[in-house]
Amino acid sequence: MFYVIGLGLSDEKDITVKGLEVVRRSERVYLESYTSILMVEKEKLEAFYERPVITATRELVELEADEILKDADKVDVAFLVVGDPLGATTHTDLLLRAEFQNIPTSVIHNASILTALGSTGLQMYSFGQTLSLPFYTESWKPDSWYPKLEENLKLGVHTLVLLDIKVREQSEENMARGRLIYEPPKFMNPAQAFSQILHTESVRHPAAKPQDSTQERKELPYPTSEREDTTNSYDTLLPPSQTLAISLSRIGTPTQKLISGTIEELAQLSEADFGEPLHSVVIVGKRLHPLELEYGGKFAIGGEKGGWWKVGQQVYGVQRETF
Amino acid sequence: MFYVIGLGLSDEKDITVKGLEVVRRSERVYLESYTSILMVEKEKLEAFYERPVITATRELVELEADEILKDADKVDVAFLVVGDPLGATTHTDLLLRAEFQNIPTSVIHNASILTALGSTGLQMYSFGQTLSLPFYTESWKPDSWYPKLEENLKLGVHTLVLLDIKVREQSEENMARGRLIYEPPKFMNPAQAFSQILHTESVRHPAAKPQDSTQERKELPYPTSEREDTTNSYDTLLPPSQTLAISLSRIGTPTQKLISGTIEELAQLSEADFGEPLHSVVIVGKRLHPLELEYGGKFAIGGEKGGWWKVGQQVYGVQRETF
């Protein structure tokens, strides 16, 4: 039997009892290592599983799938995936290949970021499409994720933003010279994520500025500082000072940390404020429920006086409930 | 410590190793029993956990939360939830109460239907909002779920439809007479779900009929039978013969069964075709990917000649890939 087994989110003990029984009796055990990582070393997994673990790189899975599936019609082979096994189509592809070869398959599910994001207190029913935010470089800032975010914001639903990770990447120079030297793994921090989101926002919706600075400006009925805070001066669904977000760091681990606030507040934090990987980010939709506001307030920048409560009540229009 | 622990989807061995360790050392163990069920008897859980398990009814959780939380600042108390613990706000409410009482809390995540629906081969990133379909009665057919489905269909994303369950419900007569006699648990079958969906569809979008049947009808450029199959004769996003869906039964268990086809095809199946609970249903959005079409084809009513392939290619416009 070819088993695809979810490992959950944190360490070696997040595997299910059923999954562990299969791993301990498997002839070969692979660990998929390029779509996510576990917060524990391979040696610790091997000690707990009492089996050697073969690291499955992207090259191995995509080019030598038959090696992984070999003899799985006669012996048990376990393919371990961090989170739930069927989060990415990579693994459905492997299952399809197995079935074309008449190899029986079985999937053992586990927690993934999609379920664990319940830790934000946001209702899972109120999430729209999930986005993946890629690393921006000097010359490449792909913003194909932006329209999906707009679709979600227009409906008022929440958006889970998965942050890019890079494992076993080669530098351009090493690739050009054919040297199989890999860069250290990189995991996007929410600080970079919010900075990228603000960059794309500023490109897509440059704030309306007077054409000529000497031009006479119409007298405003309120002070400038207040105006920036309470009006949406350009046509966007994502005004940073009026849009709430929550960062999720190391969800499901003992050092789990959530931070809530406006995108503007979150973008001012440093990488160290969020800490070690893995991270993701949620952009909060306008259909925010009082219980969601209350729960998210536990993690608010600036506490009771922070943007979370102010924007949640004044812009999102949520009535605070007595609890 | 107050622990909220996910049990996963199927039986006693779907708990994580970490969760099992906590349960075995807990002073009291509660099993939440009204939002979902496990496919195994309480006695089997107790034998495996080596602890007595207290059934937590809705009344206990909502009215006597303090009894559940009692002494949890001094001893370990485990509250077990089928699936992932934070799927429903019921449990975030319990966590908030604990924190207001300065009781330390911890959540141990697990698989839920939201992750396990990867078994359909549909990409989790391409799902929109999740719906809950309530049981219809003679006099009460609430269709507040319909606009959300339309929002998803308009975007072309997939929709997970969770089917109602009724546990410990009283009949109207017993309730009126104050008798604490409960009806046997009820779980919605996909046959009923599709019939309810078609009912609401027919109410919201009654097919356009000629006002007067003697009125001369315009000659159609193609035979009527073909016309019904390929045109959308009334203003709807959900024409049953042109919308794909997948039923999911007993996901994560050894008797797991998926069936794919048009809503029209699925609605013609009997309850027995789907079998025992638990069930849910997915309505497939137009942004269907070739790999999703391929994977879903494994469960298609009528195989290669069924509506899944026909509508997937002709209506959804997906090119079939050679594999």
Side-chain angles (χ1 to χ4, degrees), chain A residues 18 99 129 287 298, chain B residues 13 18 99 129 287 298:
Chain A
K18 195 180 281 172
E99 299 192 20
Q129 304 165 75
R287 289 188 196 162
K298 294 197 303 173
Chain B
K13 290 189 176 174
K18 194 179 281 172
E99 299 192 21
Q129 304 164 77
R287 290 187 197 162
K298 295 197 302 172

Side-chain angles (χ1 to χ4, degrees), chain A residues 9-50:
Chain A
L9 294 162
S10 170
D11 61 34
E12 73 280 8
K13 290 188 176 174
D14 284 324
I15 195 169
T16 65
V17 173
K18 195 180 281 172
L20 183 61
E21 287 178 355
V22 170
V23 168
R24 287 196 173 152
R25 70 163 188 256
S26 283
E27 187 88 2
R28 298 193 307 281
V29 179
Y30 295 92
L31 172 64
E32 189 270 297
S33 64
Y34 57 94
T35 61
S36 191
I37 55 151
L38 216 59
M39 299 292 131
V40 68
E41 303 74 40
K42 197 176 96 169
E43 290 68 32
K44 212 166 167 184
L45 287 184
E46 291 183 319
F48 187 69
Y49 296 160
E50 302 166 7

Side-chain angles (χ1 to χ4, degrees), chain A residues 24-264:
Chain A
R24 287 196 173 152
R25 70 163 188 256
S26 283
E27 187 88 2
R28 298 193 307 281
V29 179
Y30 295 92
L31 172 64
E32 189 270 297
S33 64
Y34 57 94
T35 61
S36 191
I37 55 151
L38 216 59
M39 299 292 131
V40 68
E41 303 74 40
K42 197 176 96 169
E43 290 68 32
K44 212 166 167 184
L45 287 184
E46 291 183 319
F48 187 69
Y49 296 160
E50 302 166 7
R51 311 290 302 155
V53 170
I54 305 160
T55 301
T57 61
R58 186 186 293 273
E59 296 90 327
L60 180 65
V61 176
E62 292 182 357
L63 304 176
E64 294 173 74
D66 288 349
E67 196 185 309
I68 295 174
L69 298 174
K70 199 179 144 206
D71 297 332
D73 51 341
K74 298 184 226 48
V75 299
D76 287 334
V77 175
F79 186 83
L80 310 181
V81 180
V82 176
D84 186 77
L86 297 181
T89 40
T90 321
H91 312 121
T92 52
D93 182 283
L94 206 52
L95 286 166
L96 271 178
R97 278 172 197 276
E99 299 192 20
F100 277 107
Q101 297 179 30
N102 288 315
I103 294 169
T105 64
S106 179
V107 174
I108 299 181
H109 293 287
N110 210 321
S112 86
I113 181 66
L114 282 166
T115 40
L117 61 79
S119 307
T120 56
L122 299 174
Q123 284 193 61
M124 283 189 271
Y125 299 177
S126 303
F127 277 77
Q129 304 165 75
T130 301
L131 308 183
S132 291
L133 186 64
F135 276 114
Y136 284 7
T137 65
E138 269 307 305
S139 55
W140 196 62
K141 299 184 169 61
D143 59 0
S144 52
W145 52 271
Y146 194 88
K148 282 192 176 184
L149 176 59
E150 286 192 317
E151 287 171 351
N152 286 345
L153 289 168
K154 209 172 282 177
L155 294 178
V157 297
H158 312 314
T159 305
L160 170 63
V161 184
L162 300 173
L163 307 189
D164 205 359
I165 74 172
K166 288 210 182 298
V167 181
R168 276 173 65 90
E169 295 276 325
Q170 287 172 279
S171 69
E172 279 183 28
E173 192 190 335
N174 282 329
M175 203 184 292
R177 300 191 179 210
R179 294 190 293 220
L180 290 177
I181 299 171
Y182 300 100
E183 301 297 303
K186 266 174 72 183
F187 307 95
M188 195 188 294
N189 184 287
Q192 183 172 2
F194 287 115
S195 138
Q196 291 190 183
I197 290 170
L198 289 186
H199 171 84
T200 293
E201 168 67 9
S202 72
V203 170
R204 293 242 177 183
H205 296 284
K209 282 177 194 152
Q211 296 266 333
D212 175 355
S213 59
T214 60
Q215 201 180 308
E216 199 175 87
R217 289 181 66 176
K218 224 176 99 184
E219 199 63 47
L220 292 166
Y222 33 64
T224 314
S225 63
E226 254 189 67
R227 173 179 158 263
E228 283 178 351
D229 213 24
T230 55
T231 66
N232 180 354
S233 62
Y234 45 102
D235 172 34
T236 174
L237 294 160
L238 193 72
S241 64
Q242 296 166 48
T243 307
L244 299 178
I246 305 179
S247 68
L248 298 84
S249 301
R250 300 171 302 285
I251 287 298
T253 78
T255 65
Q256 166 176 317
K257 185 175 188 181
L258 295 104
I259 308 178
S260 61
T262 65
I263 290 186
E264 197 172 47

Side-chain angles (χ1 to χ4, degrees), chain B residues 128-174:
Chain B
Q129 304 164 77
T130 301
L131 308 182
S132 291
L133 186 65
F135 276 114
Y136 285 7
T137 66
E138 268 307 305
S139 56
W140 195 63
K141 298 183 170 60
D143 58 1
S144 51
W145 53 270
Y146 194 88
K148 282 192 178 185
L149 176 59
E150 286 191 317
E151 288 171 350
N152 287 345
L153 289 169
K154 209 172 282 177
L155 294 179
V157 297
H158 312 314
T159 305
L160 171 63
V161 184
L162 300 173
L163 307 189
D164 206 1
I165 75 172
K166 288 211 181 297
V167 181
R168 276 171 65 89
E169 296 275 326
Q170 288 172 280
S171 69
E172 279 182 28
E173 193 190 336
N174 282 328

Side-chain angles (χ1 to χ4, degrees), chain B residues 31-229:
Chain B
L31 172 64
E32 189 271 296
S33 64
Y34 57 94
T35 61
S36 191
I37 54 150
L38 215 59
M39 299 293 131
V40 66
E41 304 75 40
K42 197 176 96 168
E43 291 67 32
K44 213 168 165 184
L45 286 185
E46 292 183 319
F48 186 69
Y49 297 159
E50 301 166 6
R51 314 288 304 153
V53 170
I54 307 160
T55 300
T57 62
R58 187 186 291 274
E59 296 90 325
L60 179 66
V61 176
E62 292 181 358
L63 304 176
E64 294 174 77
D66 289 347
E67 196 186 309
I68 295 175
L69 297 174
K70 199 179 144 206
D71 297 330
D73 49 343
K74 299 185 222 55
V75 299
D76 286 334
V77 175
F79 187 82
L80 310 181
V81 180
V82 175
D84 185 78
L86 298 181
T89 41
T90 321
H91 313 121
T92 53
D93 184 281
L94 207 52
L95 286 167
L96 272 177
R97 278 173 196 277
E99 299 192 21
F100 277 107
Q101 297 179 30
N102 288 316
I103 294 170
T105 64
S106 179
V107 174
I108 298 181
H109 293 285
N110 210 322
S112 86
I113 182 65
L114 282 167
T115 40
L117 61 80
S119 307
T120 56
L122 299 174
Q123 284 194 60
M124 283 189 272
Y125 299 177
S126 304
F127 276 78
Q129 304 164 77
T130 301
L131 308 182
S132 291
L133 186 65
F135 276 114
Y136 285 7
T137 66
E138 268 307 305
S139 56
W140 195 63
K141 298 183 170 60
D143 58 1
S144 51
W145 53 270
Y146 194 88
K148 282 192 178 185
L149 176 59
E150 286 191 317
E151 288 171 350
N152 287 345
L153 289 169
K154 209 172 282 177
L155 294 179
V157 297
H158 312 314
T159 305
L160 171 63
V161 184
L162 300 173
L163 307 189
D164 206 1
I165 75 172
K166 288 211 181 297
V167 181
R168 276 171 65 89
E169 296 275 326
Q170 288 172 280
S171 69
E172 279 182 28
E173 193 190 336
N174 282 328
M175 203 183 293
R177 299 189 180 212
R179 294 190 293 219
L180 291 177
I181 300 171
Y182 299 101
E183 301 297 303
K186 265 175 71 184
F187 307 95
M188 194 187 293
N189 184 287
Q192 183 172 0
F194 287 114
S195 138
Q196 290 191 182
I197 290 171
L198 289 186
H199 171 83
T200 292
E201 167 69 10
S202 73
V203 171
R204 292 243 177 181
H205 295 283
K209 280 175 195 152
Q211 296 265 333
D212 175 355
S213 59
T214 59
Q215 199 180 308
E216 199 176 90
R217 289 183 63 177
K218 223 176 98 184
E219 199 64 48
L220 292 166
Y222 33 63
T224 313
S225 62
E226 255 190 64
R227 173 180 158 265
E228 283 177 352
D229 212 25

